[in-house]
Amino acid sequence: MVCCGLTVRAMTEMRDFTKKRKDISFRVDDDLFHAARGVPADVLLDFATEFSSMDTTATVDQQLRAFRSMLEVVLLPESLERFTARMRDRENPIEIDQVEEIVTWLMEQYGLRPTEPSSASPSGPSGPGPGTTLTASTPAEVSISAASPSIAS
């Protein structure tokens, strides 16, 4: 910028939004699986939109589709292929309770909603009164218990 015949350099502040990412890997038996170090924003938004449309009465099929979608979002292609094959392998299976634990752990690794509600803060405001309905923009929590009906492969 030129002012009164003098060149003035504008002072600018630069903020670095680079995110330090960690390796996200896990083992099931002898297989090591690798997940993406980060999830692209649009991919995560699409997943969250699909996931949040489910309610607490979601069918087992809907819950399994959500789990598969999460795995497709985060597992690297080679790991996803092996993981999917193991979910169908009768001799060396990954069972539904393992899938539930893995998906829950993966969600936590990406900073998504915790699997269990955190304890209420004594200094924070109290929760809504009975009969109050909340609408949130975060994905609905889905859980498949080990007691869910068996899924034939």
Coordinates of all heavy atoms in Angstrom, one line a residue, residues 30 55 60 67 69 85 94 105 120 129 147:
D30 N -5.1 -61.9 14.1 CA -3.8 -61.7 13.4 C -3.8 -60.5 12.4 O -2.8 -60.2 11.8 CB -3.3 -62.9 12.8 CG -2.9 -64.0 13.8 OD1 -2.5 -63.7 14.9 OD2 -3.1 -65.2 13.5
D55 N -33.6 -43.3 14.5 CA -34.0 -43.0 15.9 C -33.7 -44.2 16.8 O -33.1 -45.2 16.4 CB -35.5 -42.6 15.9 CG -36.4 -43.7 15.4 OD1 -35.9 -44.9 15.3 OD2 -37.6 -43.5 15.1
V60 N -32.4 -53.7 13.5 CA -31.1 -54.2 13.5 C -30.5 -54.0 12.1 O -29.3 -53.6 12.0 CB -31.1 -55.7 13.8 CG1 -29.8 -56.4 13.6 CG2 -31.5 -55.9 15.3
F67 N -23.4 -49.1 10.8 CA -22.0 -49.6 11.2 C -21.2 -49.7 9.9 O -20.0 -49.3 9.9 CB -22.1 -50.9 11.9 CG -22.5 -50.7 13.4 CD1 -22.7 -49.5 14.0 CD2 -22.5 -51.8 14.2 CE1 -23.0 -49.4 15.3 CE2 -22.8 -51.7 15.6 CZ -23.1 -50.5 16.1
S69 N -21.6 -48.3 7.1 CA -21.3 -46.9 6.5 C -20.1 -46.3 7.2 O -19.2 -45.7 6.6 CB -22.5 -46.0 6.6 OG -23.5 -46.4 5.8
A85 N -14.6 -58.9 4.4 CA -14.4 -60.4 4.1 C -14.5 -61.2 5.4 O -15.1 -62.2 5.5 CB -13.1 -60.7 3.4
I94 N -15.2 -62.0 12.1 CA -15.3 -60.9 13.0 C -16.8 -60.8 13.4 O -17.7 -60.7 12.5 CB -14.9 -59.5 12.4 CG1 -13.4 -59.5 12.1 CG2 -15.2 -58.4 13.3 CD1 -12.9 -58.3 11.4
W105 N -15.3 -47.5 19.1 CA -13.9 -47.0 19.4 C -13.5 -46.1 18.2 O -12.9 -45.0 18.5 CB -13.0 -48.2 19.5 CG -11.5 -47.8 19.7 CD1 -10.9 -47.4 20.8 CD2 -10.5 -47.7 18.6 NE1 -9.6 -47.1 20.6 CE2 -9.3 -47.3 19.3 CE3 -10.5 -48.0 17.3 CZ2 -8.2 -47.1 18.5 CZ3 -9.3 -47.8 16.6 CH2 -8.2 -47.3 17.2
A120 N -23.2 -35.3 34.5 CA -23.6 -33.9 34.6 C -22.6 -33.1 35.4 O -22.2 -33.5 36.4 CB -25.0 -33.8 35.1
G129 N -36.7 -30.3 31.7 CA -37.7 -30.9 32.5 C -38.4 -32.1 31.8 O -38.2 -32.3 30.6
A147 N -27.0 -59.0 22.7 CA -28.3 -59.7 22.8 C -29.2 -59.5 21.6 O -30.3 -60.1 21.6 CB -29.0 -59.3 24.1

